[in-house]
């Protein structure tokens, strides 16, 4: 694969960076704000701790998937990302051909 | 070029095993037959409740036929009897063929099959004897919960064995299946044990909300989508439009889905930030769904004729259109304003039928339409009956869902106008009558399918002898 010309690469970088800042900064601020609110609920209300249960449930499940994702990245699971769709069709074809030969014979 | 790919693929075993070494076809067929039997039991429960609501219950006053109990049999037999069995049959076909490795142990598979039928039958009997656990969708009597939990663990071990041996990039179907095994196990444990033994009150309500939604989103959805990513390319004989996009869909589901359950409990004493969190993650999932739908329609692009000519593909894509409709409904339901109108109405029941039958059952029936002739090594006895099966199911579903959704709006408006409860029951009567008629159409479709299957099986016997 040939890499795009340098000026196009630079434009792509600028667009990605601007979008990242525009999206990530407000979401980050919102998220941190929500964390403070969450802390306030847990601390402030007598029954606030019950809000904790579903969030902890969620975090436990998501942590597992975050670890799985990092593991997958580390093990090259996303390299050559379009290859598995070809391989899968190919193995199917081979299995079917083999089966057809068996049935014929 | 394709050969080149397969040679360089590190996940493929050195020699190609045969289909017989990989797939236990008998077990696949048994699972499908068990699923169909439960589908009929479930539909009978649905009719009992439906007739009760139009004040024509033929079995009135007999405790064991109490529509309240049969309603629970209706939903449990669908989830654990029909869907779970049909998915297990499908998994016994797909995973070995995708990984080119058989499941961990065929005897274990057989044991799981028997154990699972025991779980489902015991659940139905327990429910009919009045032993339901007080948790929506988790009504399985408490003494069955540990057995079902163990069953789910064995299922995960049996299927994960071939998947774990895969090396290198994995096809998206396997990602979905791996996630489904983990999620189903965790979701079942969370829903059946946490509110029963560990938490109570609103907290138990919040966990119950996560459970009912996660059962659809983390058990049925990943198995359903994983299955489509396998069967659609095979039937269209071309790869999925974008494998990268399919993985975006998968990871999006993984991170955004688990928090949405609380959207079932808007306006309850559960803290508002959790309710808003559920709404936000639902919106995120809507975007994820869009990527999946785009990917499948991108794959069909240029092959539109197949929708009409290839019956399993028609089942699949009809299910996808219904899926899109349920998600569209969801985007309305999840707003607080709309929720105030439709909560507790038949809008939700319409939504539930659309997603459980219109989407996942349609996909599974499409898979059965494709696989039964391969399992029996015999073409369908009658293509016309296959067509009847499709049209009665798809048409019946469209009528049932539209009817209940519309009926739900009238019920909501009636309550919003502070009309007495009885008035809303009266205005619901025509809608409930239409539900019975559309239910009969769906039932007729399944009868046509089972009759066709029986005749096909007879033909296969004749051919063999
Ligand atoms: C074919 C005939 C059917 C009839 C007459 C029927 C009827 C009913 C009735 C009367 C209810 C109770 C509604 C209420 O409590 O107000 C119900 C609930 C339900 N049914 Fe069916 N049903 C049928 C088929 C199916 C099928 C094939 C599926 C799934 C594949 C299904 C899935 C459900 C679900 C998930 C619920 C629970 C809805 C909720 O709680 O919101 N039904 N059905």
């Amino acid at each position: 694969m040939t890499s795009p010309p340098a000026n196009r690469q630079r434009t792509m970088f600028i667009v990605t960076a601007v979008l990242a800042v525009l999206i990530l900064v407000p979401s980050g601020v919102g998220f941190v704000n929500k964390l403070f609110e969450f802390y306030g609920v847990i601390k402030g209300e007598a029954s606030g701790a019950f809000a904790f249960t579903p969030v902890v449930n969620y975090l436990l499940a998501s942590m597992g998937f975050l670890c799985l994702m990092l593991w997958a990245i580390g093990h090259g699971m996303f390299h050559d990302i379009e290859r598995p769709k070809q391989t899968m069709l190919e193995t199917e074809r081979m299995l079917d051909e083999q089966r057809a030969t068996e049935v014929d014979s | 070029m394709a050969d080149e790919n397969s040679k360089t693929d590190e996940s493929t075993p050195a020699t190609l095993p045969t289909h017989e070494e990989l797939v236990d076809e008998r077990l696949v067929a048994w699972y499908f037959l068990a699923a169909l039997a439960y589908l009929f039991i479930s539909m009978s429960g649905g009719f009992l409740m439906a007739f009760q609501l139009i004040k024509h219950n033929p079995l009135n006053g007999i405790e064991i036929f109490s529509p309240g109990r049969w309603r629970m049999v209706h939903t449990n037999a669908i989830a654990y009897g029909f869907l779970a069995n049909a998915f297990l049959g499908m998994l016994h076909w797909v995973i070995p063929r995708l990984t080119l490795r058989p499941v961990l142990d065929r005897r274990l598979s057989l044991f799981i099959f028997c154990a699972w039928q025991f779980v489902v039958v015991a659940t139905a009997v327990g429910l009919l004897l009045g032993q339901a656990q007080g948790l929506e969708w988790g009504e399985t009597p408490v003494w069955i919960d540990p057995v079902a939990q163990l069953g789910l663990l064995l299922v995960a071990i049996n299927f994960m064995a071939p998947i774990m041996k895969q090396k290198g990039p994995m096809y998206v179907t396997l990602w979905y299946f791996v996630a489904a095994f983990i999620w189903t196990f965790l979701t079942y444990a969370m829903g059946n044990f946490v509110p029963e033994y560990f938490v109570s009150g609103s907290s138990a309500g919040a966990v119950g909300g996560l459970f009912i939604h996660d059962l659809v989103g983390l058990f049925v959805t990943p198995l359903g989508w994983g299955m489509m990513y396998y069967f659609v390319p095979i039937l269209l004989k071309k790869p999925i439009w974008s494998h990268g996009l399919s993985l975006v869909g998968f990871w999006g589901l993984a991170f955004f889905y688990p928090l949405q359950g609380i959207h079932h409990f808007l306006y309850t004493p559960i803290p508002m930030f959790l309710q808003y969190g559920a709404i936000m993650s639902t919106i995120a999932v809507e975007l994820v769904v869009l990527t999946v739908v785009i990917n499948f329609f991108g794959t069909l692009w240029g092959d539109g004729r197949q929708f009409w000519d290839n019956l399993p593909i028609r089942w699949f894509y009809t299910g996808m259109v219904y899926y899109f409709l349920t998600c569209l409904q969801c985007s309305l339901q999840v707003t607080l304003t709309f929720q105030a109108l439709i909560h507790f109405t038949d809008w939700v029941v319409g939504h539930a039928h659309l997603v459980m039958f219109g989407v996942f059952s349609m996909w599974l029936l499409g898979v059965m339409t494709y696989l039964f002739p391969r399992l029996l090594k015999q073409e369908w006895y009658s293509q016309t009956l296959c067509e009847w099966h499709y049209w009665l199911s798809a048409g019946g579903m469209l009528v049932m869902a539209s009817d209940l959704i519309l009926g739900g709006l009238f019920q909501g408006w009636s309550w919003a106008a502070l009309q007495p409860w009885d008035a809303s029951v009266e205005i619901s009567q025509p809608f409930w009558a239409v539900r019975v008629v559309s239910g009969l159409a769906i039932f007729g479709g399944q009868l046509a399918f089972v009759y066709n299957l029986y005749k096909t099986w007879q033909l296969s016997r004749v051919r063999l002898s």
Side-chain angles (χ1 to χ4, degrees):
Chain A
M1 217 176 95
T2 51
S3 44
N7 57 352
R8 221 182 115 211
Q9 252 180 353
R10 224 189 50 192
T11 324
M12 269 163 68
F13 176 77
I14 292 170
V15 171
T16 316
V18 169
L19 280 178
V21 170
L22 280 182
I23 295 167
L24 290 180
V25 170
S27 339
V29 171
F31 184 69
V32 173
N33 191 26
K34 282 286 149 200
L35 275 185
F36 277 117
E37 251 181 61
F38 181 47
Y39 180 68
V41 171
I42 293 174
K43 237 183 96 200
E45 292 172 26
S47 60
F50 88 74
F52 201 55
T53 324
V55 174
V56 167
N57 258 326
Y58 169 73
L59 287 179
L60 282 178
S62 301
M63 276 304 151
F65 275 90
L66 191 65
C67 294
L68 183 66
M69 194 182 190
L70 295 178
W71 175 87
I73 295 170
H75 282 74
M77 289 283 187
F78 305 126
H79 281 163
D80 198 359
I81 205 160
E82 296 299 317
R83 176 159 60 99
K85 71 179 187 187
Q86 307 287 354
T87 319
M88 167 267 192
L89 270 184
E90 182 55 22
T91 35
E92 273 297 313
R93 191 186 60 76
M94 289 191 299
L95 281 171
D96 281 349
E97 272 176 8
Q98 191 190 49
R99 202 170 179 221
T101 337
E102 271 167 29
V103 173
D104 288 346
S105 59
Chain B
M1 150 80 185
D3 275 333
E4 187 85 4
N5 273 329
S6 60
K7 265 182 225 143
T8 52
D9 185 5
E10 16 177 348
S11 64
T12 316
T15 53
L16 187 71
T18 62
H19 170 77
E20 282 68 28
E21 285 165 346
L22 293 171
V23 178
D24 188 346
E25 291 196 343
R26 201 185 33 160
L27 199 59
V28 178
W30 283 358
Y31 267 121
F32 285 171
L33 292 177
L36 289 173
Y38 291 121
L39 178 61
F40 277 95
I41 294 173
S42 166
M43 285 191 297
S44 311
F47 279 121
L48 204 58
M49 186 71 197
F51 278 116
Q52 166 79 12
L53 287 171
I54 56 167
K55 302 171 194 161
H56 276 79
N57 180 2
L59 303 168
N60 208 4
I62 310 173
E63 191 184 347
I64 198 105
F65 290 116
S66 145
R69 293 184 189 177
W70 273 90
R71 187 203 190 277
M72 289 185 277
V73 172
H74 178 58
T75 49
N76 279 270
I78 277 300
Y80 305 118
F82 174 65
L83 293 175
N85 269 310
F87 276 133
L88 282 167
M90 172 279 295
L91 288 170
H92 273 282
W93 180 281
V94 176
I95 292 184
R97 281 179 72 101
L98 261 184
T99 57
L100 291 177
R101 288 178 182 90
V103 292
L104 180 67
D105 193 323
R106 282 193 182 200
R107 284 161 307 173
L108 180 60
S109 297
L110 206 63
F111 174 74
I112 293 172
F113 174 79
C114 299
W116 195 251
Q117 306 323 312
F118 168 77
V119 166
V120 183
V121 173
T123 300
V125 173
L127 291 178
L128 292 180
L129 294 178
Q131 294 182 1
Q133 185 180 353
L135 175 85
E136 197 181 350
W137 279 107
E139 294 95 351
T140 33
V142 279
W143 61 272
I144 298 176
D145 291 339
V147 187
Q149 193 71 54
L150 185 70
L152 292 173
L153 182 68
L154 293 179
V155 168
I157 293 174
N158 204 23
F159 286 120
M160 288 290 272
I163 300 179
M164 295 299 277
K165 289 189 192 128
Q166 286 279 106
K167 291 191 188 72
M170 218 163 53
Y171 186 58
V172 61
T173 295
L174 293 176
W175 277 114
Y176 273 111
F177 288 171
V178 168
F181 297 137
I182 301 171
W183 279 332
T184 311
F185 183 81
L186 292 179
T187 303
Y188 194 87
M190 170 182 79
N192 284 273
F193 298 108
V194 176
E196 184 74 25
Y197 304 110
F198 301 109
V199 293
S200 55
S202 307
S203 198
V207 175
L210 289 180
F211 171 65
I212 48 179
H213 205 79
D214 287 357
L215 209 59
V216 179
L218 303 181
F219 154 52
V220 184
T221 304
L223 288 177
W225 280 124
M227 175 172 90
M228 284 302 95
Y229 277 117
Y230 173 79
F231 283 102
V232 166
I234 283 175
L235 278 153
L236 288 178
K237 295 191 174 52
K238 66 178 191 190
I240 192 75
W241 186 54
S242 163
H243 191 249
L245 192 61
S246 72
L247 289 177
V248 171
F250 169 75
W251 290 103
L253 189 82
F255 289 116
F256 295 125
Y257 209 100
L259 202 55
Q260 331 182 28
I262 291 165
H263 69 200
H264 285 258
F265 293 138
L266 300 183
Y267 291 117
T268 59
I270 295 172
M272 273 328 273
F273 77 89
L274 277 179
Q275 300 187 29
Y276 287 135
I279 296 174
M280 293 313 290
S281 71
T282 307
I283 295 168
V285 169
E286 294 278 341
L287 297 176
V288 171
V289 164
L290 209 63
T291 64
V292 179
V293 172
I294 289 174
N295 212 356
F296 276 103
F297 280 87
T299 311
L300 186 67
W301 194 258
D303 277 308
R305 243 321 331 130
Q306 296 257 19
F307 180 84
W308 299 110
D309 299 344
N310 189 330
L311 191 53
I313 283 289
R314 203 188 315 149
W315 278 104
F316 298 160
Y317 275 87
T318 310
M320 279 176 217
V321 173
Y322 283 154
Y323 192 81
F324 185 72
L325 290 178
T326 60
C327 292
L328 204 66
Q329 259 193 301
C330 228
S331 61
L332 296 172
Q333 277 158 220
V334 85
T335 60
L336 284 161
T337 351
F338 204 73
Q339 185 67 212
L341 178 68
I342 53 101
H343 203 97
F344 293 131
T345 70
D346 271 334
W347 168 288
V348 182
V349 182
H351 177 70
H353 282 92
L354 197 58
V355 76
M356 287 302 231
F357 187 77
V359 181
F360 297 107
S361 305
M362 297 273 283
W363 287 349
L364 284 165
L365 291 169
V367 166
M368 289 186 199
T369 306
Y370 169 63
L371 283 188
F372 266 127
R374 301 192 64 163
L375 293 169
L376 297 173
K377 299 180 183 57
Q378 171 66 50
E379 282 307 308
W380 279 109
Y381 161 73
S382 160
Q383 276 305 324
T384 316
L385 283 175
C386 282
E387 289 287 337
W388 274 102
H389 180 210
Y390 169 81
W391 285 108
L392 284 173
S393 303
M397 188 69 256
L398 190 65
V399 175
M400 188 189 274
S402 329
D403 168 65
L404 290 171
I405 289 166
L406 199 63
L409 287 177
F410 279 98
Q411 290 160 354
W413 283 320
S414 155
W415 298 336
L418 300 179
Q419 295 269 317
W421 167 261
D422 287 1
S424 70
V425 174
E426 279 318 307
I427 55 161
S428 304
Q429 288 301 316
F431 295 102
W432 288 341
V434 172
R435 174 198 7 226
V436 172
V437 177
S438 53
L440 284 172
I442 295 176
F443 192 83
Q446 310 322 307
L447 276 182
F449 184 55
V450 170
Y451 176 71
N452 202 6
L453 181 60
Y454 172 67
K455 296 301 275 182
T456 312
W457 173 76
Q458 274 189 329
L459 284 182
S460 76
R461 298 278 99 188
V462 172
R463 224 176 67 142
L464 272 182
S465 62

